[in-house]
């Protein structure tokens, strides 16, 4: 169970505004226990002069409904998604106490090596590095219209801010820098892993991989894992937790 709690009280009518208390998704996430992941969320307040929140994009609303259908969101859930001045956020619907559980995301919604092992491609991925197996799983699920994670995958970005997604023209601006060298090394690593997976798993198993999978697809999955997963890429505890992985998710309160 992934448990998301607050680190300080969140009151709907405080006498003084709160400041940011803790990052929602740690820059260096802690290693995961076997059954529980605790995450803190940022607490922000809006003032009476702040622009009112508005409804989030339809995909986010569909994602929220999916979480409702899965039992994550209930009538007692103290927050709801909305567009706030800084972007997508969660707006508190009532007072939230310090260390109060805001949301709980059950293990069955996580995407990790165990998820891959229990899937149709589990046997094929048993010898792969954890991140490679999860990346391949992500790409396959993204291409499947009937994926159990369809709604979650639809809210994931098509790229991240990582330089591995920069165009050749943009990378040219880094000529001679260590960053360019690092970027090239990372892309080469991912490309080598993809080539191996393509040759040994994808091509020989067309029935399990009916849709073409490209290097760009695999690079997308790598970018998602690198930017959103808890634990490090090399760890067996690598995991994506729907909702808890939304890096810019903020919690706001109405005043």
């Amino acid at each position: 169970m992934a448990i998301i709690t607050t680190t300080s009280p969140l009151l709907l009518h405080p006498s003084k505004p709160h400041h940011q208390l803790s990052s929602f998704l740690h820059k260096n996430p802690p290693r995961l226990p076997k059954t529980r992941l605790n995450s803190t969320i940022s607490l922000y307040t809006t003032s009476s002069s702040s622009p009112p929140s508005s409804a989030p994009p339809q995909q986010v609303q569909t994602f929220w409904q999916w979480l409702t259908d899965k039992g994550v969101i209930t009538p007692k859930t103290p927050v709801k998604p909305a567009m706030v001045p800084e972007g997508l956020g969660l707006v508190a619907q009532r007072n939230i106490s310090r260390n109060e559980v805001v949301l709980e995301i059950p293990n069955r919604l996580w995407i990790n090596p165990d998820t891959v092992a229990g899937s149709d491609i589990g046997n094929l991925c048993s010898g792969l590095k954890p991140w490679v197996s999860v990346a391949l799983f992500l790409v396959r699920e993204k291409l499947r219209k009937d994926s159990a994670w369809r709604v979650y995958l639809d809210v994931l970005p098509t790229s991240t801010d990582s330089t591995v997604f920069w165009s050749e023209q943009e990378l040219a601006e880094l000529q001679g820098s260590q960053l360019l060298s690092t970027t090239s090394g990372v892309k080469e690593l991912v490309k080598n892993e993809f080539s191996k997976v393509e040759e040994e798993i994808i091509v020989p198993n067309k029935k399990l991989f009916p849709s073409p999978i490209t290097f760009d697809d695999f690079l997308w999955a790598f970018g998602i894992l690198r930017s959103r997963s808890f634990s490090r890429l090399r760890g067996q505890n690598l995991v994506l937790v729907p909702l808890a992985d939304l890096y810019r998710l903020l919690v706001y309160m109405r005043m």
Side-chain angles (χ1 to χ4, degrees), residues 201-212:
I201 296 179
I202 299 175
V203 173
N205 296 279
K206 288 294 185 181
K207 289 185 177 180
L208 291 173
F209 299 94
S211 300

Side-chain angles (χ1 to χ4, degrees), residues 118-136:
S119 71
D120 294 342
I121 62 174
N123 291 334
L124 298 176
C125 297
S126 60
L128 299 178
K129 297 173 183 176
W131 78 262
V132 174
S133 68
V134 177
L136 183 59

Side-chain angles (χ1 to χ4, degrees), residues 11-248:
L11 305 177
L12 295 186
H13 300 285
S15 57
K16 296 180 180 180
H18 291 276
H19 297 289
Q20 182 177 359
L21 299 173
S22 179
S23 63
F24 173 71
L25 183 59
H26 297 283
K27 203 167 186 179
N28 296 303
R31 291 181 175 274
L32 289 177
K34 291 184 178 180
T35 59
R36 177 168 294 188
L37 165 65
N38 292 313
S39 178
T40 58
I41 47 183
S42 301
L43 302 185
Y44 286 79
T45 62
T46 56
S47 66
S48 57
S49 60
S50 298
S53 60
S54 58
Q58 184 57 52
Q59 285 184 327
V60 175
Q61 295 182 47
T62 301
F63 176 54
W64 198 254
Q65 183 58 53
W66 179 74
L67 291 171
T68 300
D69 296 340
K70 298 295 183 181
V72 175
I73 307 301
T74 72
K76 295 183 179 181
T77 299
V79 294
K80 71 175 184 178
M83 297 304 298
V84 292
E86 284 73 12
L88 177 63
L90 289 179
V91 175
Q93 302 301 292
R94 61 168 176 78
N95 296 349
I96 299 178
S97 305
R98 178 183 178 88
N99 294 325
E100 179 179 347
V101 173
V102 176
L103 294 165
E104 295 182 355
I105 297 90
N107 303 47
R108 58 186 168 82
L109 298 184
W110 297 9
I111 297 178
N112 58 16
D114 289 338
T115 307
V116 181
S119 71
D120 294 342
I121 62 174
N123 291 334
L124 298 176
C125 297
S126 60
L128 299 178
K129 297 173 183 176
W131 78 262
V132 174
S133 68
V134 177
L136 183 59
F137 176 84
L138 275 180
V139 173
R140 182 173 183 266
E141 292 300 307
K142 184 176 175 62
L143 296 173
R144 292 178 59 192
K145 293 182 179 180
D146 61 345
S147 171
W149 283 272
R150 172 81 276 144
V151 176
Y152 167 60
L153 295 172
D154 284 346
V155 299
L156 294 178
T158 55
S159 65
T160 71
D161 293 333
S162 171
T163 51
V164 300
F165 294 106
W166 284 22
S167 66
E168 292 299 322
Q169 183 177 2
E170 291 171 320
L171 289 174
E173 299 178 9
L174 301 178
Q175 196 64 40
S177 69
Q178 180 61 45
L179 181 55
L180 177 60
S181 177
T182 300
T183 300
S184 298
V186 170
K187 290 189 72 172
E188 187 65 25
L189 168 67
V190 178
K191 189 171 184 178
N192 289 339
E193 292 292 349
F194 173 70
S195 295
K196 182 179 178 181
V197 165
E198 182 180 39
E199 179 182 350
E200 298 179 1
I201 296 179
I202 299 175
V203 173
N205 296 279
K206 288 294 185 181
K207 289 185 177 180
L208 291 173
F209 299 94
S211 300
I213 294 178
T214 66
F215 169 65
D216 285 341
D217 293 328
F218 195 73
L219 184 63
W220 165 82
F222 170 81
I224 291 297
L225 291 176
R226 194 174 192 184
S227 63
R228 290 170 172 265
S229 66
F230 290 81
S231 188
R232 297 181 179 180
L233 280 179
R234 295 181 180 180
Q236 188 64 32
N237 287 329
L238 172 74
V239 59
L240 286 175
V241 181
L243 186 61
D245 67 334
L246 296 181
Y247 181 78
R248 294 192 64 187

